[in-house]
Amino acid sequence: MTTIGDRIRSLREFRDLTQEQLADRAGVSVDTVRMLEQNRRQTARIDTIRNLARALDVQLERLVGQATVTQQLSDDGGLIALRDAIQDYGHLPGIPTDDDLEDPPGEDAWAESVNAATRLYWGGGYSDLSGILPLLLRDGRATVRQTPTERAWRQLALAYQLAACLSAQAGHPDWAYTAVEKQLVAAERASDPLMEGMGVSTLSWVLLRQGRWEQAQDIAVRKADELEPSFKANRNELAVYGNLLVAAACPAARRNQHDDAFAMLARAEGAATISGPVKAYGSAFSVVDVRTQKVNTALAGEARPEDALRFAGDVRVEDISRPVHSAAYRVDVAQAQYQTGDWDGALATLLEVEEDQPEWIKFQALAAVTVREMLESERRRSSPLRSLAARLGVEPGV
């Protein structure tokens, strides 16, 4: 099998770097690099791996060997078909167009298809979604050609938001970036500043996945300032504003600006307290959504796992409305449990997540890193941990 250490060594040699130079660029000890490359360690803290990925100029997904394919094949769609639908060349200047265009669905039927696809994404049905999303994008473009209403453009923006999110989850953030570009164009045609705000929130997340932390924070903060609601703001305005603050907090924490991150989350929680739970623009916003982000923020950068578990005490899992959001939160909790020495608790949490989201968890770098860390320290030859590691494609180096 190919380990993280094998990938680090191969990429380091390709970049013509010594171990000392790589360690210096990543801000880690040379012993860490050496032990990883020699497979004396199978993993390191997630932020160490992120720093090594940045120093090697590669995406985190490539370094950890994250899954980039869905489980099931589809005759009508799939990730490659999704790429082709996102990177549609038909509207580029100088490209001859096909005048024999397909008949679009009715606007109401297509809007309901977008809503159904959104529910599928937040339920973790990535394989099913990858099968229908390429056709959904093509139908959407046909719909706005025939019925260019603001509502149709808004739904097309939501469809591209889905495409961006699925692409990023599947380890293809460059496709996601292109999808967000098209989301923002559609939002502009919809004359909807809040849809544009959600587009910027999505872009911030994509930039985060690309390792562009400063830019991810900057655009979300600037858009939040632009859309800061007035005293008489409606619930949707508060929700988009709060989502932007949440988006900005994560990269701030990755940059070890935890005070700024928690200040933004405090403002977001204040907005959520006023708005109450809101589902709009393909996302959800509530007090519990913000509180789960506090747990994530405490683990970013220089991790504070004790604080993460303290924040987790304020979260009622049953109040989290989106299944994959609930799963992501619990993976964060598992990492905090592991870092504080509660290995049994961490394993139990991860097994619970796998039972709920067996496909989704395979796409999560933090879950793989946590399992690999636990596996490296595991001394028992037979345990549920090894079975979980095998199902996630994480194998011991011995």
Side-chain angles (χ1 to χ4, degrees):
M1 77 165 204
T2 302
T3 66
I4 286 181
D6 295 335
R7 297 185 190 99
I8 291 172
R9 183 178 63 255
S10 177
L11 290 164
R12 176 180 62 77
E13 291 174 348
F14 179 77
R15 302 294 187 199
D16 197 24
L17 295 171
T18 66
Q19 290 180 333
E20 290 77 9
Q21 288 171 326
L22 174 59
D24 184 62
R25 286 172 59 90
V28 304
S29 73
V30 69
D31 284 342
T32 296
V33 174
R34 186 175 296 118
M35 286 191 291
L36 285 168
E37 289 194 2
Q38 293 174 353
N39 288 319
R40 287 190 286 155
R41 291 185 60 180
Q42 296 302 307
T43 190
R45 289 183 58 247
I46 184 66
D47 280 293
T48 297
I49 297 173
R50 286 194 182 105
N51 290 336
L52 287 167
R54 285 170 67 102
L56 290 165
D57 197 26
V58 297
Q59 293 167 359
L60 174 66
E61 291 82 2
R62 178 172 179 183
L63 204 58
V64 300
Q66 177 187 330
T68 59
V69 296
T70 50
Q71 288 180 315
Q72 302 169 4
L73 294 174
S74 168
D75 293 334
D76 300 320
L79 290 179
I80 295 303
L82 177 60
R83 178 204 64 187
D84 294 345
I86 293 170
Q87 298 178 350
D88 176 38
Y89 55 79
H91 300 290
L92 294 175
I95 302 296
T97 59
D98 184 358
D99 293 330
D100 186 20
L101 300 174
E102 68 273 19
D103 292 330
E107 184 178 344
D108 289 342
W110 182 69
E112 177 51 38
S113 295
V114 174
N115 293 335
T118 301
R119 292 191 294 270
L120 196 58
Y121 174 81
W122 288 117
Y126 290 175
S127 290
D128 290 340
L129 182 59
S130 72
I132 66 173
L133 195 49
L135 179 59
L136 193 68
L137 293 175
R138 289 194 293 271
D139 282 350
R141 290 192 293 266
T143 298
V144 296
R145 280 195 299 268
Q146 181 159 309
T147 314
T149 64
E150 290 185 350
R151 179 191 180 212
W153 279 108
R154 185 179 301 109
Q155 292 300 117
L156 184 59
L158 289 172
Y160 275 117
Q161 179 172 292
L162 280 176
C165 292
L166 180 60
S167 296
Q169 287 282 15
H172 302 288
D174 296 333
W175 306 357
Y177 188 95
T178 302
V180 175
E181 286 185 305
K182 296 189 175 185
Q183 176 188 355
L184 289 169
V185 169
E188 184 178 34
R189 295 293 296 270
S191 302
D192 191 336
L194 294 182
M195 188 71 249
E196 289 181 357
M198 283 305 301
V200 172
S201 178
T202 306
L203 177 58
S204 176
W205 182 63
V206 171
L207 292 173
L208 180 74
R209 296 294 291 251
Q210 291 180 327
R212 299 161 67 177
W213 302 339
E214 184 175 359
Q215 296 171 16
Q217 179 182 349
D218 179 61
I219 63 166
V221 167
R222 286 192 286 115
K223 196 65 175 179
D225 289 343
E226 178 184 307
L227 295 178
E228 185 169 4
S230 67
F231 178 73
K232 297 181 179 181
N234 64 43
R235 299 174 73 230
N236 286 354
E237 290 172 335
L238 289 163
V240 172
Y241 171 70
N243 268 312
L244 284 163
L245 292 172
V246 169
C250 188
R254 294 272 177 88
R255 300 171 65 205
N256 287 317
Q257 297 177 359
H258 287 87
D259 289 345
D260 290 342
F262 285 120
M264 286 185 279
L265 291 177
R267 290 161 59 194
E269 187 168 351
T273 300
I274 297 171
S275 70
V278 179
K279 289 188 177 181
Y281 294 99
S283 188
F285 180 68
S286 68
V287 168
V288 73
D289 292 319
V290 178
R291 289 179 177 175
T292 62
Q293 192 60 36
K294 288 183 179 179
V295 177
N296 180 271
T297 296
L299 293 172
E302 296 177 1
R304 308 174 184 180
E306 293 84 2
D307 288 344
L309 293 177
R310 178 167 56 83
F311 291 136
D314 294 328
V315 175
R316 282 168 44 94
V317 175
E318 57 270 28
D319 290 343
I320 303 175
S321 63
R322 297 166 291 176
V324 297
H325 184 193
S326 172
Y329 160 73
R330 285 178 287 162
V331 169
D332 285 338
V333 170
Q335 173 67 200
Q337 290 171 319
Y338 168 73
Q339 290 189 22
T340 55
D342 182 10
W343 293 5
D344 290 338
L347 177 58
T349 301
L350 289 170
L351 289 171
E352 178 186 275
V353 173
E354 186 199 25
E355 182 178 1
D356 291 345
Q357 293 291 332
E359 181 177 11
W360 173 90
I361 196 172
K362 291 184 172 71
F363 291 88
Q364 306 310 310
L366 181 59
V369 168
T370 303
V371 169
R372 191 175 283 111
E373 288 178 353
M374 295 172 66
L375 193 64
E376 185 178 6
S377 303
E378 160 72 13
R379 293 294 177 264
R380 290 168 291 177
R381 280 302 184 188
S382 177
S383 76
L385 175 62
R386 291 177 180 265
S387 298
L388 175 62
R391 292 192 295 274
L392 298 186
V394 178
E395 301 178 30
V398 294

